[in-house]
Amino acid sequence: GESVGLHLPTLSVQEGDNSIINCAYSNSASDYFIWYKQESGKGPQFIIDIRSNMDKRQGQRVTVLLNKTVKHLSLQIAATQPGDSAVYFCVPMDTGRRALTFGSGTRLQVQP
Amino acid sequence: GAVVSQHPSWVICKSGTSVKIECRSLDFQATTMFWYRQFPKQSLMLMATSNEGSKATYEQGVEKDKFLINHASLTLSTLTVTSAHPEDSSFYICSAPVGAGNNQPQHFGDGTRLSIL
């Protein structure tokens, strides 16, 4: 069946610390993974993606790690800022499926 | 980067009214767009896939006669909530994949907050 990213519901970090948001997925056939950030009252914003032939990808202040063996991803945010407060979703995609299936996400709260 | 624009951003109307929401891809063409609904404190739920030049594909449990989708051009999809009732109040969001192949990132509009009185 469809793969959905499973998250812990909340994560609270201090401003300036690094954040690590973890995500598990169920379908070993998932071959493409997208991280989205959704701020209150807005649509999801693309952060970074990774394909199954990679195990790490870096962006600006963010790094995504993929462990296909245990079907796990993580999003690392360096030097977390108040503007990083949002709900984060990892969205696994299965080959041939274009629609996205969202799990419940992780709400990141940045404490000043 | 790719931008998806939704209009209106919010609408309040009386029960029984029909409401049209527009989703535009501003700097790319999209043969497929997706419509999602999000209730407070919940995740996004896929409602339907909008296909340019053909009928939309609806997810199980979504009434096609209630949520009319039209995708008449490569840059515009519309969702019409017909005879809206208070239970239709929600946050409606569209997305469009950038690129024609599978495994492409999708970009989302900023959503439409619909409140039915």
Side-chain angles (χ1 to χ4, degrees), chain B residues 9-21:
Chain B
S9 55
W10 61 273
V11 60
I12 302 173
C13 58
K14 293 181 180 180
S15 185
T17 307
S18 291
V19 179
K20 181 187 283 189
I21 302 169

Side-chain angles (χ1 to χ4, degrees), chain B residues 75-91:
Chain B
T75 58
L76 174 64
S77 173
T78 60
L79 169 68
T80 301
V81 184
T82 62
S83 187
H85 291 284
E87 59 266 28
D88 299 320
S89 298
S90 190
F91 192 49

Side-chain angles (χ1 to χ4, degrees), chain B residues 33-35 47-51 54-58 62 64 67-71 77-80:
Chain B
M33 292 183 177
F34 300 95
W35 287 96
M47 298 177 66
T49 301
S50 174
N51 303 299
S54 65
K55 291 182 180 179
T57 307
Y58 290 82
V62 178
K64 63 181 180 181
F67 299 100
L68 300 180
I69 290 172
N70 184 277
H71 195 151
S77 173
T78 60
L79 169 68
T80 301

Side-chain angles (χ1 to χ4, degrees), chain A residues 15-27:
Chain A
E15 181 178 354
D17 287 352
N18 296 335
S19 303
I20 300 177
I21 301 172
N22 294 301
C23 172
Y25 63 97
S26 55
N27 191 346

